[in-house]
Amino acid sequence: MLNVTMQNVLQANKRIAHEIVKTPLILSNSLSQHVGSEVWLKLENLQKTGSFKLRGALNKLSSLSASELARGVITASAGNHAQGVAYAASLTGVSALIVVPKTAPETKRAGIQRYGAELVVYGENYDEAEAHAYRLAEETGRTFVHAFEDNEIIAGQGTVALEALLEQPDFDAIVVPAGGGGLICGIAVAAKALHPSIEVIGIQTHASPPWYYSFKERRLADVTYSDSLADGLHGGISQGNLDMALQIVDQFVLVEEEQVAHAMYWMAKEHHYMVEGSGAVGIAALLHGHLPQLKGKKVLNIVSGSNVDAAKLGKIINSYS
C-alpha cells in the first residue's frame, strides 16, 4: 500500500539536499509564445546522472537499514533509475546489481557501469527485466529497490515539485512525463499540498500508453506496446501507483513518436540541451496543441532527463535540418 505525504517529501528533501543539484527553473520565451501561455522548464536533465531519478534512489538507500544495505541492492530499470541507484550505492560502498532491458540506450548502460554497479541486460522491455530482477533478488538475497512502486522513491521524486514551487509558487499546471508513476505521483503529492487547485497532467506516448487507458478506465488496462523514442517511459504500471494517481492526478495525454522527435530537436535548437525522448514528451504535448486548456496560464513543464545516445539525437537533428 503506497502512502506518501508532504511530510515524507520534506523529509526526503532534507535527506538528499547535500547530494543533488538544485536544478534550474527557466522561462521558455519561445515555447510561451507558441503556446500562448507562460511556460517554465524545470531542467532535471542537468541533474547528476542526467535524470531526476537520482532523487528517489538517494532517498530510498538512505532509508534502508544497515543489514539491508549489507546484502547489497538490486533493481530493474529502463536506465535512469538504474544510474541513480548505482550512483547512490557508490556513495556508501554498497554493492549494486542492475537489470536493464535490451532497449536501454548505450549511454545509460555506460553510466551504470561508470558508477561501479554490475550490469545485467535481460528482456525486451522493462516488465521482463523487472521479473528477472525479482528472480535474482530471491537467489542472491539482495534488497530490491523498485523504480516507482515505493514510498521513499515517490517522496524523493516529489522534491522536484517542492523545489520548483518554493521558487515560483503560482503555477496553474504542471506537465509531467509519466512512466512507472514515481515522478508524477511524487510531484502531485507535493504540488497539491502546496497549491490544492494546481492541475497535474501526465504525458505518455501512443507506443506505451498504460497510464492513459488505466486512468480513464480506473483499473489496470491491457495495452499494446511498440518501440518508442521515450524508452524511459516504456512499460507497465502498478496498482499502487494507479490508486494514488486516481486521487491526485488530473489528466493523462498521449503524444505521437514524431512529435517526441520534434520536441527533442526543438530543445536542442531553442535551448541547446540534449534531452532524451522521455524528457521531451511534455514539450511535445505543448508544441503540438495537446493541452489547449493551458492557454493563458502559468505552466511548469518537467524536463526529466538527458540520457540519449548522441548518434540517435544527431540523426533526429539532421532530419529537421
Side-chain angles (χ1 to χ4, degrees):
M1 183 93 176
L2 295 176
N3 182 25
V4 182
T5 66
M6 186 57 174
Q7 183 178 4
N8 301 133
V9 176
L10 291 167
Q11 289 170 336
N13 193 58
K14 184 177 180 181
R15 281 174 175 163
I16 70 177
H18 64 292
E19 280 297 342
I20 61 163
V21 173
K22 184 182 177 185
T23 53
L25 181 63
I26 66 167
L27 174 65
S28 176
N29 288 312
S30 55
L31 189 54
S32 297
Q33 289 173 9
H34 181 89
V35 178
S37 305
E38 183 182 331
V39 183
W40 292 73
L41 307 178
K42 178 66 168 166
L43 298 178
E44 284 296 294
N45 53 305
L46 301 181
Q47 187 57 257
K48 292 179 183 178
T49 73
S51 163
F52 74 93
K53 289 281 193 177
L54 179 61
R55 296 171 181 267
L58 284 167
N59 191 47
K60 177 62 178 179
L61 264 66
S62 68
S63 74
L64 295 177
S65 68
S67 62
E68 288 172 321
L69 292 171
R71 297 200 302 269
V73 296
I74 184 170
T75 194
S77 168
N80 282 335
H81 171 69
Q83 289 188 83
V85 170
Y87 182 91
S90 72
L91 293 178
T92 50
V94 174
S95 170
L97 177 61
I98 312 290
V99 184
V100 299
K102 295 174 185 176
T103 53
E106 286 301 324
T107 184
K108 295 181 181 180
R109 299 187 196 190
I112 292 164
Q113 293 174 309
R114 186 184 312 125
Y115 302 125
E118 182 182 348
L119 179 66
V120 174
V121 180
Y122 185 93
E124 300 299 327
N125 53 44
Y126 170 80
D127 295 342
E128 292 181 8
E130 181 188 79
H132 187 61
Y134 273 120
R135 288 192 293 269
L136 290 176
E138 284 201 15
E139 293 172 10
T140 62
R142 288 176 178 267
T143 301
F144 193 91
V145 178
H146 201 280
F148 49 86
E149 193 178 15
D150 183 280
N151 289 330
E152 284 74 31
I153 292 288
I154 293 169
Q157 319 307 27
T159 63
V160 175
L162 177 62
E163 273 184 16
L165 288 167
L166 287 175
E167 192 172 334
Q168 295 274 351
D170 58 342
F171 286 108
D172 299 302
I174 307 182
V175 179
V176 188
L183 180 63
I184 194 164
C185 287
I187 280 178
V189 166
K192 298 284 187 177
L194 292 169
H195 186 355
S197 64
I198 198 168
E199 190 174 358
V200 179
I201 304 166
I203 313 295
Q204 291 199 299
T205 70
H206 284 277
S208 181
W211 271 115
Y212 178 80
Y213 291 103
S214 298
F215 191 79
K216 183 184 286 188
E217 297 175 20
R218 303 186 69 83
R219 63 176 183 84
L220 290 177
D222 291 327
V223 298
T224 301
Y225 297 96
S226 54
D227 292 341
S228 177
L229 283 171
D231 56 272
L233 306 183
H234 213 263
I237 63 178
S238 75
Q239 187 67 54
N241 290 88
L242 177 60
D243 289 343
M244 181 178 287
L246 285 168
Q247 302 301 315
I248 53 178
V249 176
D250 295 282
Q251 182 188 7
F252 287 90
V253 169
L254 298 178
V255 296
E256 302 285 355
E257 287 299 307
E258 57 267 29
Q259 295 170 349
V260 177
H262 178 239
M264 294 168 73
Y265 161 75
W266 185 91
M267 273 297 285
K269 180 169 91 59
E270 294 293 333
H271 290 286
H272 314 296
Y273 290 124
M274 288 180 64
V275 174
E276 63 187 276
S278 305
V281 293
I283 291 163
L286 290 163
L287 280 175
H288 292 275
H290 292 287
L291 300 169
Q293 77 273 25
L294 299 184
K295 189 168 185 177
K297 296 186 176 181
K298 185 171 181 178
V299 180
L300 170 62
N301 178 77
I302 310 300
V303 182
S304 58
S306 63
N307 293 312
V308 57
D309 289 338
K312 178 184 284 188
L313 183 59
K315 285 182 181 178
I316 290 170
I317 292 171
N318 285 337
S319 72
Y320 286 94
S321 301

